[in-house]
Amino acid sequence: MMKITIPLTRLVPGLIIGPATWLGPYIAAASLFLPALIQQLDETNKITLLALFSSCGMVAATISNMLAGYVSDRTYSRFGSRTPWIIIGAIAFMLSMILTSTANSIPFLLFCWILAQIALNFIVAPMVAWLDFAADDKKGTASGAYGGLGMALGNNGFTIIAAMFLGSFRLGFIVFGIITFIGTLISVFIVREPSNLDKKNQNQVKQNDNKQKSSLAIFPRWSIGRDYYLALIGKLFQGISNFTITGYLLFIMTDFMHTDSSETQNSIQLINLVMLIFGILMGFIAGPISDKLKILKIPVGLSTIFLGVGALSLVIAPNHIGILIYAFAAGIGMGVWNSLDNLLNLEVIPDKNRIAFFLGVYNLGNTATQALAPIIAACVISLFGFGAIFITSFVLAMLGGISILSIRSVKR
C-alpha cells in the first residue's frame, strides 16, 4: 500500500496558514481575552478562577484530543481522513468563541470555554497529521513550516493584533473565532487532501490480521514507547515553562512590574514582535538545515536552554532590559523548538498506523500545558510571589531539555 504524499507547494502553505489561524486566536483568547473577561466578572478571585478554567480546559482538551486523533485515523472519505474533522472543529470553535463573548457569569463562561477547548482539538489532532503527507526527505521542511512559521505567527503574530482588543475583548472573541474558521477553510482548500476510500478495505483486512498481535492497546508500555514518552515529557516541561510566563504576561506587567495600560500594551507587543521575527527566521532555516545535516534531537533539546535563559533574565533584570533579553532568548528557543519538535515526535511514534492519535496526544503540549501552567503559576505566586514563576520556568525548561536529549532512537 503506497503512502499518500502531497507536494510541498501545496502542503507548506497549508501548514503555515492552518496552525497560525487555530493557535493564534486560541493564544489571544487564553492569555488576553479570557483573563480580561474573568477580571471583569470577578476581579477579586481572578487568579484562582483562571486556574480553575485552565484545569477544566485541560481535562476537556486531553479527552477531545485523543478522541479526535482516534476517529481521524479511522475516517475514510473522498476528502481524506483529516479534512472532515478539521472543518467540523473550525465551525464549532468559531461558534463557541462567539458564545463566549456573550458570557455575563462565571459558570456560563466556563461552559463556553470547555466547548471551545473540545472544538479546538478537533482541528489540532487531525491537522498536525498532515506532516506525514510530506516526502520522507522533506519532512523537516514541512515541520518547519508548521511549527516554525505557522506556530510562530499563531503564538506571537496574532497576539500583537490581539493586544489592540484589550479595550474591547468581547469583540476580540468574535473576530478571532471567525479568523480561525476562515483560515482553516483556506488551508484545507490549499492542501486538498486526496480521497482515502481505496484504503478502507485494505486497512480493515490488515487490522483483522493484526488483532491478536495488538499489544499496544491505547498506549504502549515503557520498553516499547520509551522515546515517545521522553519526547512527550520534554514537550510538557517545555510548554509549561513557556506558558507560566506567557499565560500570566498581562498580570506580570500590571501586578509585578506595575506598568500602566499603555506600557503594558507596548511591552506585550514588543515581546511578541521579537519572538515572531525569530520564529519566522527559524521556520525558514531550521527545517531545511535539519533535512540536510540530518540533525534533530540536539537542536530541539538545546532550544529549551534558550527558553530557560530567557526566563532567568526576568529574575536578574525585572525591567524593560529583562523583557528585551527574554524576548530574544525565548524567540530563538521557541523558533527552533516549534520548527522541529513535531518532526522529532513523528520519528519516535511507536505505532505508525495511529499517527494522528500519537501526534495529537503529543500536541496536547500546545493546549494542555496552557491549562497546567496557570495552575502551577497560581500556586507559586500565592506561596512565593510573582518573581518565583521565572525560576520555576527556568527549572522546567532545563528538565525538558534533559528529557529530549535522553532519546536514543534519534542519534543527533
Side-chain angles (χ1 to χ4, degrees):
M1 184 169 57
M2 287 187 62
K3 175 181 175 292
I4 295 175
T5 59
I6 295 176
L8 289 184
T9 51
R10 281 161 42 198
L11 197 57
V12 165
L15 288 172
I16 294 172
I17 296 171
T21 50
W22 71 250
L23 181 60
Y26 175 71
I27 292 288
S31 63
L32 295 177
F33 303 152
L34 182 65
L37 184 50
I38 288 174
Q39 182 171 263
Q40 184 185 74
L41 297 177
D42 189 348
E43 183 172 4
T44 304
N45 301 305
K46 63 183 180 182
I47 290 181
T48 303
L49 284 172
L50 189 57
L52 171 66
F53 273 65
S54 297
S55 60
C56 292
M58 177 186 64
V59 174
T62 300
I63 295 172
S64 59
N65 195 287
M66 289 190 290
L67 178 61
Y70 179 87
V71 297
S72 172
D73 284 332
R74 286 157 178 75
T75 295
Y76 301 92
S77 78
R78 58 175 295 206
F79 303 107
S81 58
R82 318 302 179 190
T83 296
W85 295 106
I86 292 171
I87 293 175
I88 289 170
I91 294 170
F93 183 73
M94 176 182 66
L95 294 176
S96 62
M97 291 285 275
I98 293 172
L99 203 60
T100 301
S101 72
T102 68
N104 287 311
S105 70
I106 292 298
F108 184 66
L109 179 59
L110 179 59
F111 170 75
C112 295
W113 188 246
I114 289 173
L115 286 182
Q117 291 277 1
I118 294 170
L120 183 75
N121 282 280
F122 273 85
I123 304 173
V124 176
M127 185 176 286
V128 71
W130 277 352
L131 291 175
D132 196 49
F133 289 137
D136 289 341
D137 61 342
K138 301 295 182 182
K139 279 187 165 57
T141 301
S143 180
Y146 180 92
L149 296 173
M151 296 188 76
L153 287 169
N155 267 313
N156 309 117
F158 280 82
T159 310
I160 296 171
I161 302 170
M164 301 176 186
F165 283 85
L166 280 176
S168 53
F169 50 83
R170 288 182 183 269
L171 176 62
F173 279 113
I174 298 172
V175 170
F176 280 76
I178 294 172
I179 287 173
T180 292
F181 175 68
I182 294 174
T184 300
L185 286 186
I186 292 172
S187 65
V188 162
F189 178 78
I190 292 172
V191 171
R192 298 198 310 277
E193 184 182 344
S195 169
N196 67 337
L197 287 172
D198 60 324
K199 283 187 170 187
K200 186 173 183 179
N201 291 332
Q202 298 176 50
N203 279 352
Q204 284 176 342
V205 171
K206 186 176 179 182
Q207 286 168 9
N208 290 334
D209 289 342
N210 292 336
K211 219 171 231 184
Q212 300 300 323
K213 301 178 183 178
S214 180
S215 61
L216 290 180
I218 297 177
F219 291 102
R221 60 183 180 271
W222 177 266
S223 60
I224 294 175
R226 174 189 180 277
D227 286 350
Y228 174 79
Y229 292 131
L230 285 173
L232 181 58
I233 291 168
K235 174 80 166 182
L236 291 172
F237 277 130
Q238 187 270 356
I240 296 171
S241 169
N242 178 41
F243 291 122
T244 49
I245 294 179
T246 58
Y248 273 83
L249 200 54
L250 179 62
F251 298 157
I252 288 171
M253 293 294 118
T254 57
D255 295 13
F256 177 66
M257 295 188 176
H258 305 291
T259 58
D260 59 30
S261 58
S262 176
E263 287 178 306
T264 297
Q265 179 174 322
N266 291 337
S267 295
I268 290 173
Q269 288 177 322
L270 173 64
I271 289 171
N272 285 284
L273 178 60
V274 172
M275 292 184 74
L276 173 63
I277 292 170
F278 276 103
I280 292 174
L281 180 63
M282 293 301 130
F284 276 115
I285 66 176
I289 288 175
S290 175
D291 282 336
K292 186 173 182 179
L293 300 181
K294 307 300 179 187
I295 56 172
L296 183 57
K297 177 178 71 174
I298 293 173
V300 173
L302 294 181
S303 68
T304 65
I305 293 177
F306 283 93
L307 190 63
V309 168
L312 204 59
S313 70
L314 292 171
V315 178
I316 299 169
N319 49 42
H320 290 297
I321 294 175
I323 288 173
L324 197 59
I325 295 172
Y326 169 77
F328 276 93
I332 294 172
M334 290 302 299
V336 174
W337 176 274
N338 286 333
S339 295
L340 299 175
D341 78 308
N342 280 303
L343 178 57
L344 177 65
N345 185 246
L346 195 60
E347 292 294 317
V348 297
I349 282 177
D351 183 356
K352 299 300 182 182
N353 292 318
R354 294 192 289 160
I355 288 174
F357 175 79
F358 283 109
L359 282 177
V361 171
Y362 182 74
N363 271 272
L364 284 172
N366 297 317
T367 50
T369 53
Q370 290 182 60
L372 283 169
I375 298 171
I376 294 171
C379 293
V380 171
I381 291 169
S382 64
L383 291 173
F384 306 108
F386 264 99
I389 63 172
F390 307 126
I391 298 294
T392 302
S393 177
F394 171 78
V395 171
L396 290 172
M398 296 302 103
L399 291 174
I402 291 169
S403 181
I404 293 295
L405 294 173
S406 299
I407 291 173
R408 293 173 185 165
S409 59
V410 180
K411 300 302 180 184
R412 299 171 58 196

